[in-house]
Amino acid sequence: MYAGHVGVALGAKGMRPVLPLSALIMASQLPDWADASLCLAGVTSSTPGMFSHSFPAIGVLTIAGALVYLATTRDMTGAAFVAALVISHALGDYVTGIKPTWSGGPMIGLHLYGHPMMDFIFEAIVIIAGWLIYRTSFPEDKRLSRGVVAVLGVLLALQLAADIVFSMTPSLRKC
């Protein structure tokens, strides 16, 4: 998933408005940040995503993300939201892509990336659902303000652009 991860973070913000949106977005994208950081550091595996998207890696990132949030805020509920968002990342990626399970284990996923229109529809549903929950965190008279609606438009446009680019360049590597 791409923009769909942010949609999930928006939904979490709507459910718990006191949580900082920046922390929620970071948690929802933590495996991708870990993957990019490892790539830049030259740490690779023969199985793409093994150190960032496999079940053990998601477990480590979930615990690390929740502990860092808890240590900096002392908010146990917020830490639980962070943990849930890291796990949601893996679940979304198993729908849209193909990811490793564990070392020597199978690669699993529905690979919607191979069907860009289906990927866009799935991610748009996630984005819209998250946005609908998110907008409840605003006073009723602000829920359809230009800024709140723009968030939805930008996320859908980014997702559409990603699906177009990746459909036109299937050999494009992330790392």
Side-chain angles (χ1 to χ4, degrees):
M1 260 191 345
Y2 300 109
H5 295 308
V6 177
V8 176
L10 291 176
K13 176 71 173 175
M15 289 191 279
R16 185 119 170 118
V18 298
L19 297 176
L21 185 56
S22 58
L24 298 173
I25 290 172
M26 184 165 278
S28 74
Q29 296 179 337
L30 187 57
D32 287 342
W33 284 103
D35 195 44
S37 298
L38 291 167
C39 177
L40 290 173
V43 178
T44 61
S45 168
S46 59
T47 304
M50 182 58 67
F51 301 139
S52 60
H53 287 75
S54 66
F55 294 165
I58 292 298
V60 168
L61 291 171
T62 298
I63 293 167
L67 287 176
V68 166
Y69 187 84
L70 183 63
T72 57
T73 64
R74 304 285 185 239
D75 176 10
M76 184 65 85
T77 302
F81 269 80
V82 166
L85 285 167
V86 176
I87 292 168
S88 79
H89 181 103
L91 296 175
D93 277 7
Y94 284 118
V95 172
T96 58
I98 297 176
K99 299 298 179 182
T101 49
W102 52 82
S103 182
M107 299 286 283
I108 63 172
L110 298 179
H111 193 54
L112 291 185
Y113 292 151
H115 309 278
M117 181 60 72
M118 293 301 296
D119 180 63
F120 179 76
I121 291 168
F122 172 74
E123 295 214 38
I125 290 168
V126 172
I127 292 164
I128 292 167
W131 178 81
L132 287 170
I133 297 167
Y134 169 66
R135 68 189 206 113
T136 65
S137 67
F138 292 92
E140 197 162 331
D141 64 323
K142 303 272 193 242
R143 291 181 183 170
L144 290 175
S145 68
R146 185 173 292 160
V148 174
V149 173
V151 168
L152 175 62
V154 167
L155 288 175
L156 291 173
L158 286 172
Q159 185 56 50
L160 181 61
D163 281 318
I164 290 170
V165 167
F166 287 118
S167 70
M168 293 174 68
T169 56
S171 61
L172 183 66
R173 293 184 44 178
K174 287 184 176 180
C175 181

mmCIF file of all heavy atoms in Angstrom, residues 67-99:
data_model
loop_
_atom_site.group_PDB
_atom_site.id
_atom_site.type_symbol
_atom_site.label_atom_id
_atom_site.label_comp_id
_atom_site.label_asym_id
_atom_site.label_seq_id
_atom_site.Cartn_x
_atom_site.Cartn_y
_atom_site.Cartn_z
ATOM 1 N N LEU A 67 7.165 1.084 22.128
ATOM 2 C CA LEU A 67 8.019 1.453 23.261
ATOM 3 C C LEU A 67 8.576 2.864 23.126
ATOM 4 O O LEU A 67 8.643 3.599 24.120
ATOM 5 C CB LEU A 67 9.156 0.439 23.432
ATOM 6 C CG LEU A 67 8.749 -0.922 23.990
ATOM 7 C CD1 LEU A 67 9.951 -1.871 24.009
ATOM 8 C CD2 LEU A 67 8.133 -0.792 25.376
ATOM 9 N N VAL A 68 8.968 3.254 21.937
ATOM 10 C CA VAL A 68 9.476 4.615 21.735
ATOM 11 C C VAL A 68 8.360 5.613 22.023
ATOM 12 O O VAL A 68 8.573 6.619 22.715
ATOM 13 C CB VAL A 68 10.042 4.802 20.305
ATOM 14 C CG1 VAL A 68 10.258 6.277 19.987
ATOM 15 C CG2 VAL A 68 11.340 4.024 20.151
ATOM 16 N N TYR A 69 7.162 5.345 21.519
ATOM 17 C CA TYR A 69 6.042 6.255 21.775
ATOM 18 C C TYR A 69 5.734 6.308 23.271
ATOM 19 O O TYR A 69 5.553 7.380 23.844
ATOM 20 C CB TYR A 69 4.797 5.836 20.980
ATOM 21 C CG TYR A 69 3.699 6.857 21.093
ATOM 22 C CD1 TYR A 69 3.685 7.962 20.250
ATOM 23 C CD2 TYR A 69 2.712 6.763 22.070
ATOM 24 C CE1 TYR A 69 2.705 8.936 20.369
ATOM 25 C CE2 TYR A 69 1.728 7.728 22.194
ATOM 26 C CZ TYR A 69 1.732 8.809 21.341
ATOM 27 O OH TYR A 69 0.777 9.788 21.463
ATOM 28 N N LEU A 70 5.701 5.156 23.911
ATOM 29 C CA LEU A 70 5.406 5.100 25.348
ATOM 30 C C LEU A 70 6.474 5.834 26.150
ATOM 31 O O LEU A 70 6.158 6.586 27.087
ATOM 32 C CB LEU A 70 5.290 3.646 25.806
ATOM 33 C CG LEU A 70 4.925 3.416 27.264
ATOM 34 C CD1 LEU A 70 3.549 3.979 27.581
ATOM 35 C CD2 LEU A 70 4.964 1.918 27.572
ATOM 36 N N ALA A 71 7.729 5.650 25.793
ATOM 37 C CA ALA A 71 8.827 6.292 26.529
ATOM 38 C C ALA A 71 8.791 7.813 26.389
ATOM 39 O O ALA A 71 9.171 8.533 27.320
ATOM 40 C CB ALA A 71 10.170 5.756 26.041
ATOM 41 N N THR A 72 8.330 8.291 25.243
ATOM 42 C CA THR A 72 8.327 9.745 25.032
ATOM 43 C C THR A 72 7.046 10.424 25.505
ATOM 44 O O THR A 72 7.056 11.628 25.748
ATOM 45 C CB THR A 72 8.563 10.094 23.547
ATOM 46 O OG1 THR A 72 7.564 9.456 22.753
ATOM 47 C CG2 THR A 72 9.944 9.648 23.095
ATOM 48 N N THR A 73 5.963 9.658 25.655
ATOM 49 C CA THR A 73 4.689 10.288 26.012
ATOM 50 C C THR A 73 4.063 9.758 27.303
ATOM 51 O O THR A 73 3.193 10.403 27.864
ATOM 52 C CB THR A 73 3.645 10.084 24.896
ATOM 53 O OG1 THR A 73 3.365 8.681 24.783
ATOM 54 C CG2 THR A 73 4.133 10.655 23.579
ATOM 55 N N ARG A 74 4.444 8.571 27.709
ATOM 56 C CA ARG A 74 3.827 7.886 28.862
ATOM 57 C C ARG A 74 2.339 7.605 28.612
ATOM 58 O O ARG A 74 1.558 7.477 29.540
ATOM 59 C CB ARG A 74 3.990 8.672 30.166
ATOM 60 C CG ARG A 74 5.409 9.012 30.521
ATOM 61 C CD ARG A 74 6.122 7.772 31.029
ATOM 62 N NE ARG A 74 7.464 8.117 31.480
ATOM 63 C CZ ARG A 74 8.555 7.584 30.981
ATOM 64 N NH1 ARG A 74 8.492 6.698 30.031
ATOM 65 N NH2 ARG A 74 9.739 7.937 31.434
ATOM 66 N N ASP A 75 1.958 7.493 27.353
ATOM 67 C CA ASP A 75 0.571 7.263 26.964
ATOM 68 C C ASP A 75 0.420 5.826 26.471
ATOM 69 O O ASP A 75 0.746 5.510 25.320
ATOM 70 C CB ASP A 75 0.177 8.265 25.864
ATOM 71 C CG ASP A 75 -1.218 8.046 25.314
ATOM 72 O OD1 ASP A 75 -1.999 7.252 25.880
ATOM 73 O OD2 ASP A 75 -1.535 8.702 24.298
ATOM 74 N N MET A 76 -0.092 4.961 27.334
ATOM 75 C CA MET A 76 -0.234 3.547 27.001
ATOM 76 C C MET A 76 -1.245 3.336 25.857
ATOM 77 O O MET A 76 -1.022 2.517 24.968
ATOM 78 C CB MET A 76 -0.668 2.749 28.233
ATOM 79 C CG MET A 76 -0.732 1.267 27.997
ATOM 80 S SD MET A 76 0.865 0.532 27.637
ATOM 81 C CE MET A 76 1.436 0.268 29.292
ATOM 82 N N THR A 77 -2.335 4.082 25.865
ATOM 83 C CA THR A 77 -3.329 3.947 24.803
ATOM 84 C C THR A 77 -2.737 4.383 23.465
ATOM 85 O O THR A 77 -2.944 3.722 22.442
ATOM 86 C CB THR A 77 -4.593 4.764 25.127
ATOM 87 O OG1 THR A 77 -5.111 4.315 26.382
ATOM 88 C CG2 THR A 77 -5.649 4.609 24.051
ATOM 89 N N GLY A 78 -2.002 5.480 23.480
ATOM 90 C CA GLY A 78 -1.344 5.929 22.255
ATOM 91 C C GLY A 78 -0.344 4.902 21.755
ATOM 92 O O GLY A 78 -0.235 4.664 20.542
ATOM 93 N N ALA A 79 0.388 4.276 22.662
ATOM 94 C CA ALA A 79 1.350 3.237 22.273
ATOM 95 C C ALA A 79 0.630 2.053 21.636
ATOM 96 O O ALA A 79 1.139 1.451 20.673
ATOM 97 C CB ALA A 79 2.160 2.791 23.483
ATOM 98 N N ALA A 80 -0.551 1.732 22.134
ATOM 99 C CA ALA A 80 -1.335 0.646 21.540
ATOM 100 C C ALA A 80 -1.780 1.021 20.126
ATOM 101 O O ALA A 80 -1.778 0.174 19.222
ATOM 102 C CB ALA A 80 -2.539 0.324 22.417
ATOM 103 N N PHE A 81 -2.144 2.289 19.921
ATOM 104 C CA PHE A 81 -2.505 2.750 18.576
ATOM 105 C C PHE A 81 -1.295 2.653 17.646
ATOM 106 O O PHE A 81 -1.432 2.228 16.492
ATOM 107 C CB PHE A 81 -3.036 4.181 18.614
ATOM 108 C CG PHE A 81 -4.517 4.273 18.784
ATOM 109 C CD1 PHE A 81 -5.090 4.128 20.038
ATOM 110 C CD2 PHE A 81 -5.351 4.512 17.701
ATOM 111 C CE1 PHE A 81 -6.463 4.219 20.210
ATOM 112 C CE2 PHE A 81 -6.728 4.602 17.863
ATOM 113 C CZ PHE A 81 -7.288 4.444 19.121
ATOM 114 N N VAL A 82 -0.128 3.045 18.132
ATOM 115 C CA VAL A 82 1.096 2.948 17.330
ATOM 116 C C VAL A 82 1.337 1.493 16.939
ATOM 117 O O VAL A 82 1.602 1.183 15.771
ATOM 118 C CB VAL A 82 2.303 3.542 18.088
ATOM 119 C CG1 VAL A 82 3.618 3.143 17.444
ATOM 120 C CG2 VAL A 82 2.180 5.066 18.156
ATOM 121 N N ALA A 83 1.236 0.594 17.896
ATOM 122 C CA ALA A 83 1.438 -0.831 17.617
ATOM 123 C C ALA A 83 0.436 -1.325 16.567
ATOM 124 O O ALA A 83 0.811 -2.024 15.615
ATOM 125 C CB ALA A 83 1.311 -1.637 18.904
ATOM 126 N N ALA A 84 -0.820 -0.950 16.726
ATOM 127 C CA ALA A 84 -1.849 -1.387 15.776
ATOM 128 C C ALA A 84 -1.577 -0.850 14.370
ATOM 129 O O ALA A 84 -1.803 -1.556 13.371
ATOM 130 C CB ALA A 84 -3.222 -0.945 16.262
ATOM 131 N N LEU A 85 -1.066 0.369 14.289
ATOM 132 C CA LEU A 85 -0.775 0.943 12.976
ATOM 133 C C LEU A 85 0.395 0.236 12.288
ATOM 134 O O LEU A 85 0.368 0.042 11.069
ATOM 135 C CB LEU A 85 -0.509 2.440 13.093
ATOM 136 C CG LEU A 85 -1.771 3.271 13.302
ATOM 137 C CD1 LEU A 85 -1.420 4.689 13.720
ATOM 138 C CD2 LEU A 85 -2.626 3.275 12.049
ATOM 139 N N VAL A 86 1.404 -0.149 13.053
ATOM 140 C CA VAL A 86 2.514 -0.894 12.441
ATOM 141 C C VAL A 86 2.002 -2.231 11.908
ATOM 142 O O VAL A 86 2.327 -2.638 10.788
ATOM 143 C CB VAL A 86 3.673 -1.097 13.442
ATOM 144 C CG1 VAL A 86 4.766 -1.964 12.829
ATOM 145 C CG2 VAL A 86 4.256 0.241 13.888
ATOM 146 N N ILE A 87 1.176 -2.895 12.683
ATOM 147 C CA ILE A 87 0.606 -4.173 12.234
ATOM 148 C C ILE A 87 -0.295 -3.955 11.016
ATOM 149 O O ILE A 87 -0.284 -4.753 10.073
ATOM 150 C CB ILE A 87 -0.142 -4.856 13.391
ATOM 151 C CG1 ILE A 87 0.862 -5.297 14.463
ATOM 152 C CG2 ILE A 87 -0.971 -6.042 12.894
ATOM 153 C CD1 ILE A 87 0.241 -5.721 15.778
ATOM 154 N N SER A 88 -1.059 -2.865 11.018
ATOM 155 C CA SER A 88 -1.941 -2.585 9.882
ATOM 156 C C SER A 88 -1.134 -2.412 8.593
ATOM 157 O O SER A 88 -1.624 -2.730 7.505
ATOM 158 C CB SER A 88 -2.796 -1.342 10.141
ATOM 159 O OG SER A 88 -2.073 -0.141 9.931
ATOM 160 N N HIS A 89 0.083 -1.898 8.730
ATOM 161 C CA HIS A 89 0.937 -1.738 7.553
ATOM 162 C C HIS A 89 1.161 -3.094 6.886
ATOM 163 O O HIS A 89 0.993 -3.229 5.671
ATOM 164 C CB HIS A 89 2.292 -1.118 7.949
ATOM 165 C CG HIS A 89 3.187 -0.927 6.771
ATOM 166 N ND1 HIS A 89 3.378 0.298 6.193
ATOM 167 C CD2 HIS A 89 3.924 -1.798 6.038
ATOM 168 C CE1 HIS A 89 4.199 0.170 5.153
ATOM 169 N NE2 HIS A 89 4.543 -1.109 5.052
ATOM 170 N N ALA A 90 1.529 -4.064 7.692
ATOM 171 C CA ALA A 90 1.790 -5.399 7.139
ATOM 172 C C ALA A 90 0.531 -5.987 6.521
ATOM 173 O O ALA A 90 0.578 -6.555 5.421
ATOM 174 C CB ALA A 90 2.332 -6.315 8.234
ATOM 175 N N LEU A 91 -0.589 -5.841 7.195
ATOM 176 C CA LEU A 91 -1.842 -6.395 6.662
ATOM 177 C C LEU A 91 -2.180 -5.766 5.311
ATOM 178 O O LEU A 91 -2.554 -6.472 4.367
ATOM 179 C CB LEU A 91 -2.972 -6.182 7.661
ATOM 180 C CG LEU A 91 -2.817 -6.906 9.005
ATOM 181 C CD1 LEU A 91 -3.939 -6.509 9.954
ATOM 182 C CD2 LEU A 91 -2.753 -8.400 8.817
ATOM 183 N N GLY A 92 -2.043 -4.461 5.211
ATOM 184 C CA GLY A 92 -2.310 -3.787 3.943
ATOM 185 C C GLY A 92 -1.357 -4.230 2.849
ATOM 186 O O GLY A 92 -1.769 -4.450 1.704
ATOM 187 N N ASP A 93 -0.099 -4.392 3.202
ATOM 188 C CA ASP A 93 0.883 -4.806 2.209
ATOM 189 C C ASP A 93 0.679 -6.245 1.746
ATOM 190 O O ASP A 93 1.014 -6.593 0.618
ATOM 191 C CB ASP A 93 2.303 -4.630 2.748
ATOM 192 C CG ASP A 93 2.813 -3.208 2.598
ATOM 193 O OD1 ASP A 93 2.028 -2.320 2.192
ATOM 194 O OD2 ASP A 93 3.996 -2.974 2.899
ATOM 195 N N TYR A 94 0.133 -7.085 2.609
ATOM 196 C CA TYR A 94 -0.161 -8.456 2.182
ATOM 197 C C TYR A 94 -1.340 -8.491 1.214
ATOM 198 O O TYR A 94 -1.491 -9.434 0.456
ATOM 199 C CB TYR A 94 -0.404 -9.374 3.381
ATOM 200 C CG TYR A 94 0.882 -9.754 4.095
ATOM 201 C CD1 TYR A 94 1.092 -9.394 5.411
ATOM 202 C CD2 TYR A 94 1.884 -10.457 3.439
ATOM 203 C CE1 TYR A 94 2.273 -9.717 6.061
ATOM 204 C CE2 TYR A 94 3.071 -10.789 4.075
ATOM 205 C CZ TYR A 94 3.260 -10.415 5.394
ATOM 206 O OH TYR A 94 4.434 -10.742 6.025
ATOM 207 N N VAL A 95 -2.169 -7.472 1.224
ATOM 208 C CA VAL A 95 -3.258 -7.384 0.244
ATOM 209 C C VAL A 95 -2.714 -6.826 -1.074
ATOM 210 O O VAL A 95 -2.982 -7.373 -2.140
ATOM 211 C CB VAL A 95 -4.417 -6.504 0.769
ATOM 212 C CG1 VAL A 95 -5.449 -6.258 -0.325
ATOM 213 C CG2 VAL A 95 -5.066 -7.151 1.985
ATOM 214 N N THR A 96 -1.935 -5.766 -1.002
ATOM 215 C CA THR A 96 -1.519 -5.086 -2.231
ATOM 216 C C THR A 96 -0.261 -5.670 -2.860
ATOM 217 O O THR A 96 -0.056 -5.518 -4.064
ATOM 218 C CB THR A 96 -1.296 -3.590 -1.971
ATOM 219 O OG1 THR A 96 -0.311 -3.434 -0.947
ATOM 220 C CG2 THR A 96 -2.592 -2.916 -1.562
ATOM 221 N N GLY A 97 0.587 -6.295 -2.081
ATOM 222 C CA GLY A 97 1.847 -6.809 -2.613
ATOM 223 C C GLY A 97 2.049 -8.272 -2.308
ATOM 224 O O GLY A 97 1.113 -9.013 -2.005
ATOM 225 N N ILE A 98 3.295 -8.694 -2.395
ATOM 226 C CA ILE A 98 3.721 -10.033 -2.001
ATOM 227 C C ILE A 98 4.881 -9.820 -1.051
ATOM 228 O O ILE A 98 5.887 -9.190 -1.407
ATOM 229 C CB ILE A 98 4.153 -10.877 -3.214
ATOM 230 C CG1 ILE A 98 2.964 -11.083 -4.152
ATOM 231 C CG2 ILE A 98 4.713 -12.213 -2.746
ATOM 232 C CD1 ILE A 98 3.303 -11.825 -5.417
ATOM 233 N N LYS A 99 4.759 -10.320 0.161
ATOM 234 C CA LYS A 99 5.744 -10.062 1.206
ATOM 235 C C LYS A 99 6.203 -11.377 1.832
ATOM 236 O O LYS A 99 5.497 -12.380 1.815
ATOM 237 C CB LYS A 99 5.152 -9.152 2.294
ATOM 238 C CG LYS A 99 4.719 -7.788 1.788
ATOM 239 C CD LYS A 99 5.880 -6.991 1.242
ATOM 240 C CE LYS A 99 5.413 -5.639 0.719
ATOM 241 N NZ LYS A 99 6.486 -4.883 0.145
#
